[in-house]
Amino acid sequence: DKTFTPFPTINNSERPDVAATNLLEGRVVIVVDGTPFVLILPAVFTLFFQSASDYAQRFDIAILMRIIRYISFIVLILGPSVYIALTTFHYEMIPTTLLINLLSQRENVPFPAFVEAILMEGAFEIIREAGVRMPRAVGQTVSVVGALILGQAVVEAGIITPVMVIVVALTGIASFAIPAYNMAIAGRIIRFGFLILAGMFGFYGITLGLIVLV
């Protein structure tokens, strides 16, 4: 009923084993005519981090993989914003040697860290969507080669620092570790909100954003 949220409120799947498993766990499965997906409800937050392969694994392996997915979601929504907060407001928390390296990289970069992150995140989202919409054989090549060429080119041009490319790439990889595509999209949307809060208020903004999000 509460649709004013970026998070998905109903799960879906096109796998019969997932549908059968959710029925056995006490959920309702709705079969919709004309679509290969079934709707699964009620859906809780943890359901979107479960993979069908978890049921075929040992319990300790499945637990470890789910913990990795939760960590990936945290990296997805907070990775770039934590970097912005550290380099803009709270640089005393960075080790001295690393701080000297970061400052030397930023000497020839004309933009602040917030603008860097917005530019790189926007470019990454465009490349990802282009790779999805293009034919499969060409799409993967466009995604990988485009990201590598773009990352190297912007660093050599002095527009973006190498560390920002690493942070954005790590964030993008973390989004692929989440089994549910709609949950990954929600994390990508929320990430931009945290970017703005970190660029304005640092860790205070991130903390307030987490309180509101929870």
Side-chain angles (χ1 to χ4, degrees):
D1 294 337
K2 297 179 180 179
T3 57
F4 190 69
T5 172
F7 293 109
T9 54
I10 297 177
N11 197 11
N12 62 73
S13 178
E14 58 182 355
R15 296 186 52 150
D17 55 343
V18 174
T21 303
N22 280 277
L23 281 174
L24 290 173
E25 291 179 352
R27 297 186 182 91
V28 177
V29 173
I30 302 174
V31 182
V32 183
D33 188 20
T35 174
F37 289 90
V38 296
L39 304 179
I40 300 170
L41 64 151
V44 293
F45 185 77
T46 56
L47 183 63
F48 297 95
F49 293 88
Q50 299 178 9
S51 174
S53 61
D54 291 347
Y55 297 98
Q57 301 286 350
R58 286 167 46 94
F59 76 95
D60 48 357
I61 298 175
I63 290 173
L64 175 63
M65 298 311 297
R66 289 184 185 180
I67 291 173
I68 291 174
R69 292 178 197 133
Y70 286 121
I71 295 173
S72 298
F73 187 75
I74 294 172
V75 172
L76 171 62
I77 63 175
L78 295 181
S81 56
V82 168
Y83 174 76
I84 291 172
L86 285 174
T87 55
T88 307
F89 296 97
H90 312 286
Y91 47 82
E92 69 277 358
M93 299 176 65
I94 306 175
T96 306
T97 308
L98 179 59
L99 181 60
I100 292 172
N101 290 333
L102 292 177
L103 291 176
S104 63
Q105 292 177 14
R106 297 200 57 82
E107 277 184 343
N108 299 322
V109 176
F111 303 114
F114 172 72
V115 177
E116 277 187 274
I118 292 294
L119 288 175
M120 283 303 297
E121 291 289 355
F124 191 86
E125 293 295 333
I126 292 171
I127 292 174
R128 189 196 326 235
E129 282 301 308
V132 171
R133 301 288 171 259
M134 295 183 71
R136 183 176 297 274
V138 184
Q140 294 178 351
T141 306
V142 168
S143 299
V144 176
V145 177
L148 290 174
I149 293 176
L150 180 66
Q152 183 178 0
V154 294
V155 170
E156 292 180 354
I159 301 174
I160 306 293
T161 57
V163 178
M164 180 58 73
V165 176
I166 295 172
V167 171
V168 172
L170 182 63
T171 306
I173 294 171
S175 68
F176 293 123
I178 301 170
Y181 182 68
N182 45 7
M183 180 60 76
I185 292 177
R188 286 154 57 184
I189 295 173
I190 294 167
R191 177 182 59 193
F192 285 99
F194 278 104
L195 281 175
I196 296 171
L197 289 172
M200 294 174 65
F201 308 110
F203 274 126
Y204 300 107
I206 294 175
T207 305
L208 290 174
L210 284 173
I211 293 172
V212 172
L213 183 65
V214 171

